[in-house]
Amino acid sequence: FHYEITKRYTALTGFHHVYIDDNFKTCFEAGLPSKILVMCGENGLDDTLKYLQEAHENDDNVYITRGNGSGWFVEVLCTNKGKGFEKLCETLKVEREKTVAFGDGFNDIEFIQSAGLGIAMKNAVAALKEVADEDCEWFNYEEGVKQKLAELERRGLLLFKK
C-alpha cells in the first residue's frame, strides 16, 4: 500500500524516493535528506509523530510536521517554510516585520510565525490558527488571500509604492 501511495506522490511532485525500511539512523548516516516521508497510516499517526518529535527534540536542523487532511503521513524536514522565508527576506533586504504570510497547514506554522503578520486561512488547521496573528474569513478557493490583502489595504496596513 505505501509503495503505491509513494508512486502517486512521485507522479504529483516529481520527487525521487529512496525506500528505507524502518531505520531512520541509516537515512541520517547517509547525509541529511531534504525530506523524509513517513507513511504510518491514520491509526499510527499520533504515536509516530510523538516518537519522531522526542527522537529529534535536540536537533536544530530537523523539523517534524504532520500531513494535512487525511493525516496519514509525517514529514521529517531539514528546513521549513519559515527558514526559507527568513532567507528570502535577508536576500531581498526586506524587513520581516513588514511582511505578511498566509497559511493553512501544519507545514505553514513556522512560515506565518516568521512574518510580521501571520494569517491563517479559514480552512487552516487548528494548530496554525493558534499561532496566527489573524484569521482570514475566506477559504483559499474564495480568493481568500486576495480578499484579505484588500482588507489589510483598507485598514492602512499595506503600503504599495506607486
Side-chain angles (χ1 to χ4, degrees):
F1 170 74
H2 290 151
Y3 292 113
E4 291 304 316
I5 297 292
T6 307
K7 286 179 189 175
R8 285 192 351 222
Y9 189 83
T10 299
L12 290 171
T13 64
F15 286 112
H16 172 72
H17 293 87
V18 175
Y19 298 99
I20 297 177
D21 293 324
D22 295 331
N23 188 346
F24 298 115
K25 186 176 180 182
T26 303
C27 290
F28 290 104
E29 286 173 354
L32 187 63
S34 61
K35 180 178 189 176
I36 299 173
L37 186 63
V38 181
M39 298 184 165
C40 50
E42 290 179 33
N43 295 332
L45 180 65
D46 291 334
D47 290 339
T48 302
L49 190 60
K50 182 180 177 190
Y51 171 79
L52 290 170
Q53 287 170 332
E54 289 172 358
H56 296 286
E57 67 184 340
N58 296 320
D59 295 333
D60 291 336
N61 61 343
V62 176
Y63 305 91
I64 313 292
T65 187
R66 63 183 290 158
N68 296 336
S70 62
W72 46 263
F73 68 90
V74 175
E75 293 178 310
V76 182
L77 309 167
C78 68
T79 191
N80 60 52
K81 289 181 182 181
K83 294 290 183 194
F85 184 67
E86 290 170 11
K87 183 68 174 170
L88 177 66
C89 289
E90 179 184 318
T91 301
L92 297 176
K93 297 180 179 22
V94 173
E95 295 175 48
R96 286 190 295 122
E97 297 77 25
K98 295 181 178 180
T99 63
V100 180
F102 292 83
D104 63 357
F106 291 103
N107 64 339
D108 293 319
I109 291 174
E110 293 88 356
F111 178 46
I112 68 163
Q113 288 176 322
S114 295
L117 179 63
I119 300 175
M121 300 303 295
K122 186 173 184 175
N123 55 295
V125 296
L128 185 76
K129 288 183 177 187
E130 288 176 18
V131 300
D133 298 308
E134 291 188 21
D135 288 340
C136 182
E137 62 184 272
W138 300 280
F139 291 100
N140 293 340
Y141 64 83
E142 296 174 315
E143 296 185 326
V145 172
K146 177 182 171 184
Q147 292 198 66
K148 186 66 174 184
L149 287 172
E151 176 195 312
L152 293 173
E153 186 176 23
R154 286 190 300 275
R155 290 169 43 196
L157 297 176
L158 293 183
L159 304 173
F160 293 106
K161 294 181 182 179
K162 298 193 186 225

